């Protein structure tokens, strides 16, 4: 697997990929004046456009929800991609050959990813057409037996791979796809035979509805491959640890509801969606892992701690319990609450819908219990709680589970619950949990989770008292060359902590190399400061500035600092006795006269280039 993409190649991709062209593929943009474009934000629901794209700086920012970034960030968020995946897709688009910093050699040839995605899309269309043929009767019978009619098959784009073995490759080659692309896509084997033969197929798509690969179920007894399910092999676009079936259908609802329901198979996803559980997804050919967790978390967004939920459906048997414990070990990957939904009868969502109807599937999800409680109950069940030593051993095993709960406000409630389960003194249980909690100082985010930045913590853009600070920073971010070599301003000229911190970041970026905006954004990071930097980098300027305009704003900013100093000094003079502290009084009075002269000079400069 290739390593980190070289920085210079990332910069080349960012420079070549026009952000307005990429964004226009997802929403309609209209001229907003000043070289900017506006549209309805794809990341939150709105009726009035607040999503702004500034092509000259390669940035976008939504003044409604605070999302912002460059062309790479946009593709990451809108299509739920990792950084590397977004760069690779853009590299294909603009024809950049990527290299990797670990010396692993050139990456995927330009355009190959796009060709594979196009081949997969054509294959999905072909497979769906075959499902209506006589050859696919066993596949249709399988679906019918599980309560899925033709409309359901069409909704989920289910297809059938013919038994002949070479039809798909022949059809796709006739449509112009190169044989080597079909092999790299995992559609055709090196020997020319189709990878999937005589199987029912589910296309596996990303959140942008691109077909990444396929999952195939064994239907025919004569199938020479004994595995019930096989999946597309690893390809430049399909990595089983990074994909979730149903994500294309569930994406919007997962983001809207801040909920994801993780089931175990393709038919379970179908049953859940047809039952009204429209946030269901499933892993493909592998157990749910850390990369899947990160994928869901990106899609759900950084909601305020615990406002979202991820619900896992497990069987009530030993295998289900083992799966729950494995997920528990991944739990810190989420900043949302995690739950378990277990059907007492042991039925999976598909069979549950078939036997008891769609409402039973909805009830299954509604009966969810916190993952910690489920795992804790299973841990306690392995000890003899009728014996004192058994209760003590159970407490030692369960205390770390309760101690690892991220939401500190829930810990006391779980301590009380554990005390009741064990039949032990509350103080004894609380002390054991406290010891377990205190012994975990090195684990990040085990107790406290940072909520999504609250926009109310940002400087108010309409605060007239901070108007000069804001406009000066906008000029500095968007037209730094007009400030000259010596900016003549300092951090103390900014009274709001956010503006002061942003100015400090610009000072730090002065000596770095590369694109100015990217340097500042890299220093600011992805928190509140980065959000503020992004906002001021795309917020329209009142006028097209020149050097005189910038100097006037700089003088106005310095004037406000000077006025504050004069006020402070006058206050000191009022508190100084001129008889008892004559020397201090005279010194301060001299400083006041000097500041008054400076104030007049700055006032004249501040009116030289603008009307304030």
């Amino acid at each position: 697997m290739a390593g980190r993409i070289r920085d210079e190649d990332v910069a080349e991709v960012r420079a070549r990929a026009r952000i307005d062209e990429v964004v226009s593929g997802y929403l309609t943009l209209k001229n907003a004046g000043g070289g900017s474009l506006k549209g309805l934000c794809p990341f939150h629901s709105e009726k009035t456009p607040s999503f702004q794209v500034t092509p000259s700086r390669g940035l976008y920012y939504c003044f409604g929800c605070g999302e912002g970034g460059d062309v790479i960030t946009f593709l990451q968020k809108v299509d739920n991609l990792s950084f590397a995946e977004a760069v690779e897709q853009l590299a294909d688009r603009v024809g950049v050959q990527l290299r990797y910093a670990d010396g692993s050699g050139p990456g995927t040839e330009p355009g190959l990813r796009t060709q594979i995605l196009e081949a997969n899309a054509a294959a999905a269309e072909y497979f769906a057409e075959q499902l209506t043929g006589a050859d696919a009767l066993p596949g249709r019978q399988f679906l019918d037996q599980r309560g899925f009619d033709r409309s359901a098959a069409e909704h989920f784009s289910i297809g059938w791979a013919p038994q002949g073995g070479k039809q798909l490759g022949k059809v796709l080659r006739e449509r112009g796809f190169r044989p080597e692309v079909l092999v790299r896509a995992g559609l055709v084997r090196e020997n020319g035979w189709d990878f999937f033969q005589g199987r029912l197929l589910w296309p596996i798509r990303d959140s942008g509805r691109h077909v990444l690969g396929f999952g195939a179920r064994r239907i025919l007894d004569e199938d020479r491959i004994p595995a019930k399910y096989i999946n597309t092999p690893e390809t430049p676009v399909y990595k089983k640890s990074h994909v979730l079936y149903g994500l294309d259908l569930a994406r919007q609802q997962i983001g809207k509801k801040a909920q994801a329901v993780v089931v175990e198979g393709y038919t379970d996803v179908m049953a859940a969606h047809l039952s009204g559980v429209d946030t269901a997804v499933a892993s493909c050919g592998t157990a749910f892992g850390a990369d899947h967790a990160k994928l869901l978390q990106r899609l759900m967004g950084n909601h305020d701690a615990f406002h979202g939920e991820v619900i896992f459906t497990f069987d009530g048997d030993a295998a289900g319990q083992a799966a729950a414990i494995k997920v528990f070990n991944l739990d810190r990957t989420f900043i949302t609450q995690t739950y378990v939904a277990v059907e007492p009868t042991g039925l999976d969502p598909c069979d549950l819908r078939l036997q008891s109807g769609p409402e039973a599937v909805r009830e299954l999800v509604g009966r969810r219990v916190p993952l910690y409680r489920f795992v804790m109950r299973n841990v306690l069940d392995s000890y003899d709680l009728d014996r004192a030593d058994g209760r003590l051993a159970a407490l030692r095993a369960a205390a770390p589970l309760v101690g690892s709960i991220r939401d500190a406000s829930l810990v006391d409630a779980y301590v009380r619950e554990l005390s009741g389960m064990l039949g032990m003194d509350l103080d004894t249980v609380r002390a054991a949990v406290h010891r377990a909690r205190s012994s975990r100082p090195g684990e990040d985010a085990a107790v406290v989770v940072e909520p999504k930045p609250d926009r109310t913590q940002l400087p108010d853009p309409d605060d007239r008292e901070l108007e000069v600070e804001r406009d000066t920073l906008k000029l500095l971010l968007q037209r730094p060359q007009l400030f000259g070599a010596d900016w003549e301003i300092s951090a103390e000229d900014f009274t709001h902590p956010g503006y002061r911190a942003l100015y400090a970041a610009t000072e730090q970026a002065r000596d770095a190399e590369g694109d100015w905006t990217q340097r500042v954004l890299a220093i600011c990071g992805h928190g509140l400061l980065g959000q503020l930097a992004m906002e001021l980098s795309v917020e329209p300027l009142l006028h097209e500035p020149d050097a005189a305009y910038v100097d006037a704003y700089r003088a106005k900013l310095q004037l406000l600092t000077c006025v504050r100093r004069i006020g402070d000094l006058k206050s000191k003079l009022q508190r100084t006795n001129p008889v008892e502290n004559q020397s201090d009084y005279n010194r301060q009075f001299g400083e006041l006269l000097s500041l008054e002269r400076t104030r007049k000079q700055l006032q004249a400069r501040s009116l030289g280039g603008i009307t304030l």
Side-chain angles (χ1 to χ4, degrees):
M1 184 175 180
R4 183 174 63 85
I5 301 171
R6 291 189 180 183
D7 292 341
E8 54 266 37
D9 291 348
V10 173
E12 181 68 14
V13 169
R14 186 180 283 116
R16 287 198 198 181
R18 288 184 55 86
I19 191 168
D20 51 331
E21 293 178 357
V22 173
V23 173
S24 293
Y26 295 84
L27 61 140
T28 300
L29 293 174
K30 296 182 178 179
N31 195 328
S36 296
L37 304 167
K38 267 193 174 183
L40 294 174
C41 180
F43 304 118
H44 83 288
S45 179
E46 64 175 5
K47 296 181 179 179
T48 302
S50 58
F51 184 88
Q52 184 164 304
V53 176
T54 309
S56 62
R57 287 184 291 282
L59 299 174
Y60 71 91
Y61 186 81
C62 177
F63 290 89
C65 67
E67 291 286 0
D70 58 19
V71 65
I72 298 173
T73 310
F74 178 82
L75 204 59
Q76 279 184 264
K77 292 181 178 179
V78 77
D79 277 345
N80 193 31
L81 304 174
S82 68
F83 178 81
E85 290 168 339
V87 173
E88 288 168 350
Q89 283 199 19
L90 289 170
D92 283 349
R93 179 171 181 151
V94 299
V96 173
Q97 176 76 56
L98 297 178
R99 298 164 297 169
Y100 293 82
D102 64 353
S104 57
T108 304
E109 63 182 80
L112 179 61
R113 289 174 57 85
T114 300
Q115 294 174 53
I116 289 176
L117 291 174
E118 291 173 350
N120 284 342
E125 180 182 346
Y126 173 78
F127 289 140
E129 293 171 352
Q130 302 310 302
L131 185 61
T132 60
D135 184 50
L137 178 60
R140 296 197 298 273
Q141 291 174 333
F142 172 88
L143 292 173
D144 182 67
Q145 292 166 3
R146 282 154 181 78
F148 303 123
D149 57 17
R150 179 171 182 173
S151 64
E154 292 176 350
H155 179 71
F156 292 94
S157 303
I158 298 174
W160 175 260
Q163 299 178 56
K166 290 191 175 182
Q167 287 97 317
L168 175 67
K170 180 175 182 296
V171 168
L172 294 185
R173 286 192 298 273
E174 289 175 350
R175 294 186 184 181
F177 291 99
R178 294 181 292 135
E180 57 268 30
V181 171
L182 302 181
V183 172
R184 292 294 301 275
L187 295 170
V188 175
R189 301 180 187 274
E190 292 280 359
N191 59 12
W193 290 88
D194 293 343
F195 189 84
F196 300 109
Q197 302 174 34
R199 291 206 169 211
L200 201 62
L201 291 166
W202 285 263
I204 300 168
R205 295 183 167 97
D206 62 15
S207 60
R209 300 192 63 81
H210 303 109
V211 180
L212 305 178
F214 298 87
R217 194 192 193 282
R218 190 177 192 269
I219 299 293
L220 306 174
D221 292 336
E222 59 268 30
D223 194 328
R224 290 173 296 178
I225 301 177
K228 181 185 291 188
Y229 285 96
I230 60 174
N231 292 79
T232 295
E234 297 278 308
T235 74
V237 302
Y238 180 83
K239 297 174 176 59
K240 61 185 179 182
S241 65
H242 291 71
V243 299
L244 289 168
Y245 175 69
L247 196 64
D248 56 317
L249 298 173
R251 169 195 166 183
Q252 289 188 344
Q253 294 304 315
I254 289 175
K256 182 178 180 180
K257 298 179 179 179
Q259 179 200 74
V261 177
V262 182
V263 297
E264 294 190 341
Y266 304 115
T267 56
D268 291 333
V269 171
M270 295 175 66
H273 279 261
L274 294 175
S275 299
V277 182
D278 52 8
T279 59
V281 294
S283 55
C284 306
T286 185
F288 189 92
D291 289 327
H292 296 124
K294 294 174 183 176
L295 180 65
L296 280 182
Q297 193 59 66
R298 289 203 306 269
L299 196 60
M300 294 176 73
N302 296 324
H303 292 272
D304 290 347
F306 314 111
H307 283 189
E309 57 183 22
V310 178
I311 304 167
F312 295 89
T313 61
F314 296 121
D315 294 334
D317 56 14
Q321 295 175 14
I325 292 175
K326 181 178 180 180
V327 170
F328 172 77
N329 293 328
L330 299 173
D331 188 59
R332 290 179 204 91
T333 306
F334 301 101
I335 67 168
T336 50
Q337 290 282 46
T338 45
Y339 295 85
V340 176
V342 177
E343 170 55 36
T345 62
L347 296 176
D348 59 31
C350 181
D351 291 334
L352 184 61
R353 172 178 174 268
L354 193 62
Q355 291 192 18
S356 304
E359 63 277 0
V361 179
R362 296 194 296 271
E363 290 174 4
L364 168 65
V365 175
R367 291 195 307 268
R368 62 196 180 277
V369 297
L371 176 63
Y372 289 101
R373 183 180 299 166
F374 181 82
V375 173
M376 189 165 62
R377 180 74 269 175
N378 285 320
V379 168
L380 297 185
D381 285 346
S382 62
Y383 295 91
D384 184 359
L385 301 183
D386 292 331
R387 296 168 54 90
D389 57 345
R391 291 192 295 274
L392 184 59
L395 175 60
R396 289 171 178 166
L401 301 179
V402 180
S404 66
I405 295 174
R406 297 182 305 267
D407 188 353
S409 65
L410 293 177
V411 172
D412 188 62
Y414 277 97
V415 166
R416 293 179 182 276
E417 187 170 345
L418 178 58
S419 173
M421 289 178 173
L422 291 170
M424 296 181 68
D425 178 70
L426 178 61
D427 290 338
T428 301
V429 175
R430 182 179 286 116
V433 171
H434 178 72
R435 287 194 298 271
R437 203 171 176 83
S438 301
S439 65
R440 305 161 52 90
E443 298 198 19
D444 295 336
V447 178
V448 179
V449 175
E450 288 293 331
K452 184 176 180 178
D454 182 354
R455 282 188 55 79
T456 60
Q457 300 176 37
L458 294 172
D460 182 359
D462 297 323
D463 188 337
R464 295 299 299 271
E465 293 185 1
L466 298 174
E467 185 176 35
V468 175
E469 294 182 28
R470 186 179 189 88
D471 288 343
T472 304
L473 280 173
K474 282 164 55 176
L475 288 167
L476 184 58
L477 288 168
Q478 299 183 30
R479 300 290 192 275
Q481 69 277 9
L482 296 178
F483 279 76
D486 184 3
W487 290 351
E488 299 180 21
I489 55 179
S490 65
E492 66 177 10
D493 291 323
F494 298 90
T495 59
H496 192 285
Y499 291 147
R500 190 183 306 120
L502 181 53
Y503 176 77
T506 63
E507 282 195 314
Q508 188 177 344
R510 290 182 70 176
D511 298 328
E513 296 181 354
D515 178 77
W516 165 248
T517 303
Q518 294 300 326
R519 277 149 46 195
V520 175
L521 293 176
I523 292 170
C524 291
H526 300 291
L528 278 175
L529 189 59
Q531 188 174 348
L532 179 60
M534 187 67 62
E535 185 171 328
L536 298 190
S537 294
V538 302
E539 194 172 280
L541 299 172
L542 296 176
H543 305 282
E544 182 58 34
D546 56 17
Y549 184 92
V550 167
D551 186 64
Y553 254 106
R554 178 166 45 198
K556 183 65 175 177
L557 183 68
Q558 294 170 322
L559 175 61
L560 294 175
T561 302
C562 184
V563 169
R564 289 194 299 272
R565 290 177 179 172
I566 289 173
D568 293 340
L569 196 53
K570 285 182 177 180
S571 176
K572 287 182 180 180
L573 281 169
Q574 289 176 359
R575 289 178 276 114
T576 302
N577 189 317
V579 176
E580 297 178 359
N581 300 287
Q582 185 177 4
S583 59
D584 286 343
Y585 186 88
N586 291 338
R587 177 179 55 78
Q588 292 172 10
F589 190 77
E591 290 179 9
L592 179 60
L593 294 177
S594 176
L595 286 172
E596 286 289 357
R597 288 193 295 269
T598 301
R599 182 185 64 80
K600 292 179 180 180
Q601 294 170 358
L602 290 172
Q603 191 168 34
R605 280 178 54 199
S606 69
L607 299 175
I610 54 176
T611 301
L612 294 170

